[in-house]
Amino acid sequence: MRIFDPHIHMTSRTTDDYAAMYEAGVRALVEPSFWLGQPRTSPGSFYDYFDSLLGWEPFRAAQHGIAHHCTIALNPKEAGDPRCLPVLDELPRYLVKDGVVAVGEIGYDSMTPAEDTALAAQLQLAADHGLPALVHTPHRDKAAGLTRTLDVLRESGLPPERVVLDHLNEATVDEAADSGCWLGFSIYPDTKMDEHRMVRLLRLHGTARVLVNSAADWGRSDPLKTRAVGDAMLDAGFTDDEIDQVLWRNPVAFYGQSGRLELDLAPDPAAVTHEGNSILRGGE
Amino acid sequence: MLNPRDPDQEAVGDIAPRLEQQLDAPAREWLRQALAEAEAQPQKSTWELHFASAGRQCGRAAALDARVLLLHSAGPDTVTLTRLYHQGTAAERAAVLRALPHMAVGKTPDAVPLVEDALRANDTTLIRAAVGRYAAAHLDRHGWRHAVLKCLFTGVPVRSVNDLARRARGDAELARMLRDFAHERTAAGRSVPEDLHHVLELALESAPAHPPEEF
């Protein structure tokens, strides 16, 4: 089972996690920039973090046979902090980098006017740079947050197939699916979603346009939840091809829209030539 | 030992033909155009965008050579080069370090802070790039010895260290550091890196009749 975790915060994880992920079949991941739990107090703190997502963390991942890409943005939780807003002006120099495959995470946290501004500005940056966008849906007041997010998306220049709406659940999946955006699900030990609920949703909505991630970070989370979904799909009678679509081909197709995925560090030469090499090259 | 694939150790004129052989037609065309723009308009930021996007245009494996050529064609001043390094990804930083001998700044010690920065890193691709031809010419003795020791610590093969034999030969202080390191490893019941013995042999050779220039 080859796995691409489309949303995981490896900066917060140990090398043991990398080894366990490789063992479970993870060969590629995307690390969205996000907050640190502790609020940042200056733009420089963001730049060191972004540099790490384009330097140290890909190096660490490669040592464990995992291809690392990232998404860059001013995250929703800090988009309302005036101390952090200068970051918006520096984003363009990061969005041209080879390892950056989307703008993200962007979206709403508390649905304030400052967050409106940051979201719209960053959707425009995604359009300007030919990048997809990873849009976080808020944890509090999620349904209303999704509706407001979709309004802003419609006003942006970004087509829905270039957007993934993340952290969806049973209450928000229908409205998100109607928008034409990609559907992201974060599988957590006991909050956002679990693997069995995920399987029920896959039965209802099918496997197209669905991204499943662990969103593992410094909180209670599990970097092997992508594999847990694959196993639960297998138990529920999904085919190997359907599992491969959800856990590999879908994230490759979504982030491949950046033209910047490079997945050929897979140490298994058989995997590299799978399907004529095109998938591992990121749909180029 | 010379690694002919490291672009800081080749004549710059040899890099382009070798690189073009590895590229497909669209990437070759992109490279020619990008180099022409860098040479014609080094003040415009367009070439810096090419510098950033070389990986997706040429493929990651060929990007180092492409970036070195872009730097050579644009010939940025030290201030610009320093900015490109500090605002660069790990791959871009390595390219700046490898390009140094091909640039005017390469004849001066002005880029030593970039080498020192890379030697503070733990990313072995940066450490390797830092101990190239420029470091051999410009790092002072203390910094150079620690660079060699860092290679041994992090598993960077010492054949990556440019001009190792000349700089190590007869260096009693380097020999002491290597022996101490070997002792520390042995006392811990750990193995001593094979490379250490090789460098130690060099350091124990008698100094040349004409001692190397003091840095």
Side-chain angles (χ1 to χ4, degrees):
Chain A
M1 195 182 291
R2 57 178 180 169
I3 298 170
F4 185 137
D5 192 335
H7 181 156
I8 181 165
H9 303 284
M10 292 311 297
T11 304
S12 310
R13 311 300 307 192
T14 64
T15 48
D16 283 357
D17 287 332
Y18 269 123
M21 288 164 68
Y22 184 85
E23 188 67 25
V26 177
R27 295 294 180 272
L29 60 84
V30 166
E31 175 156 10
S33 61
F34 201 48
W35 71 315
L36 297 175
Q38 175 74 25
R40 296 179 176 94
T41 61
S42 70
S45 174
F46 281 87
Y47 309 146
D48 290 340
Y49 173 65
F50 295 158
D51 289 343
S52 165
L53 296 185
L54 292 162
W56 177 237
E57 206 55 49
F59 174 75
R60 227 160 67 96
Q63 286 184 310
H64 297 274
I66 296 176
H68 181 290
H69 296 81
C70 70
T71 78
I72 295 285
L74 175 59
N75 67 75
K77 301 236 187 208
E78 291 173 306
D81 186 335
R83 293 175 301 180
C84 302
L85 289 181
V87 170
L88 287 174
D89 298 326
E90 289 290 311
L91 288 178
R93 74 174 169 91
Y94 284 101
L95 297 181
V96 301
K97 301 297 189 188
D98 278 331
V100 178
V101 292
V103 173
E105 298 181 54
I106 52 176
Y108 286 114
D109 180 53
S110 304
M111 289 191 276
T112 63
E115 291 174 21
D116 281 328
T117 308
L119 175 57
Q122 295 187 96
L123 287 170
Q124 185 61 49
L125 283 174
D128 293 346
H129 288 83
L131 288 172
L134 169 58
V135 179
H136 156 111
T137 57
H139 301 308
R140 304 178 304 278
D141 202 9
K142 188 180 281 286
L146 174 64
T147 304
R148 186 152 157 188
T149 301
L150 291 175
D151 287 342
V152 178
L153 280 173
R154 272 187 288 271
E155 288 167 18
S156 79
L158 213 55
E161 63 270 18
R162 287 252 297 277
V163 176
V164 58
L165 298 165
D166 211 350
H167 315 315
L168 297 175
N169 57 24
E170 292 86 348
T172 51
V173 63
D174 290 329
E175 188 179 0
D178 289 344
S179 72
C181 294
W182 287 72
L183 311 174
F185 297 91
S186 301
I187 314 301
Y188 262 36
D190 44 25
T191 52
K192 296 180 172 90
M193 279 294 287
D194 69 33
E195 55 269 34
H196 306 292
R197 288 162 57 202
M198 189 65 233
V199 163
R200 284 198 292 277
L201 279 181
L202 284 166
R203 280 211 179 104
L204 279 171
H205 286 269
T207 50
R209 274 198 298 136
V210 170
L211 302 183
V212 169
N213 62 70
S214 73
D217 57 13
W218 29 253
R220 190 166 143 70
S221 50
D222 178 355
L224 305 184
K225 279 296 183 189
T226 47
R227 175 63 194 238
V229 169
D231 290 339
M233 286 178 76
L234 208 55
D235 290 345
F238 283 94
T239 65
D240 288 343
D241 186 67
E242 287 168 319
I243 295 168
D244 190 65
Q245 181 190 9
V246 171
L247 293 183
W248 187 267
R249 301 198 307 269
N250 281 352
V252 168
F254 178 72
Y255 288 118
Q257 296 179 92
S258 68
R260 305 186 199 176
L261 273 187
E262 195 155 343
L263 303 174
D264 51 8
L265 102 199
D268 175 7
V272 174
T273 53
H274 184 85
E275 302 202 4
N277 205 18
S278 61
I279 284 173
L280 282 166
R281 290 288 300 171
E284 286 171 27
Chain B
M1 188 192 296
L2 191 90
N3 180 351
R5 289 301 315 278
D6 289 339
D8 58 329
Q9 298 179 29
E10 288 178 283
V12 74
D14 293 341
I15 301 174
R18 176 167 62 69
L19 174 59
E20 290 204 358
Q21 278 185 351
Q22 300 168 45
L23 301 178
D24 59 17
R28 232 176 0 245
E29 183 49 39
W30 174 85
L31 180 69
R32 282 181 185 161
Q33 187 139 2
L35 291 175
E37 280 179 36
E39 197 164 346
Q41 299 180 303
Q43 304 306 322
K44 275 186 74 175
S45 59
T46 324
W47 82 267
E48 291 188 25
L49 182 60
H50 299 324
F51 182 71
S53 64
R56 53 191 182 272
Q57 299 291 349
C58 297
R60 200 170 293 166
L64 176 66
D65 289 334
R67 289 189 169 113
V68 167
L69 290 175
L70 279 164
L71 288 166
H72 175 258
S73 294
D77 60 22
T78 308
V79 173
T80 306
L81 195 70
T82 300
R83 174 175 55 76
L84 285 171
Y85 176 89
H86 285 297
Q87 296 189 347
T89 63
E92 293 169 30
R93 290 178 188 202
V96 168
L97 296 167
R98 293 288 190 198
L100 290 173
H102 303 307
M103 305 178 69
V105 65
K107 297 184 174 48
T108 76
D110 296 350
V112 166
L114 305 185
V115 173
E116 290 169 340
D117 182 84
L119 288 171
R120 279 191 288 270
N122 225 25
D123 179 336
T124 49
T125 61
L126 280 176
I127 296 168
R128 269 202 61 198
V131 293
R133 217 169 97 198
Y134 182 83
H138 294 286
L139 266 193
D140 66 21
R141 291 196 151 197
H142 181 80
W144 188 82
R145 288 173 188 132
H146 271 273
V148 172
L149 215 55
K150 181 135 187 178
C151 287
L152 293 170
F153 259 85
T154 55
V156 172
V158 292
R159 66 169 182 274
S160 308
V161 179
N162 185 258
D163 216 4
L164 176 72
R166 180 183 68 83
R167 290 212 58 173
R169 188 165 294 126
D171 187 338
E173 175 63 3
L174 178 64
R176 181 200 61 77
M177 291 164 79
L178 293 169
R179 281 207 188 97
D180 284 357
F181 176 40
H183 172 73
E184 189 185 331
R185 280 289 177 99
T186 311
R190 300 175 63 194
S191 64
V192 175
E194 194 52 44
D195 269 4
L196 185 144
H197 302 295
H198 170 59
V199 185
L200 186 57
E201 275 174 30
L202 290 172
L204 290 175
E205 284 178 21
S206 52
H210 300 288
E213 184 186 339
E214 179 66 65
F215 289 88

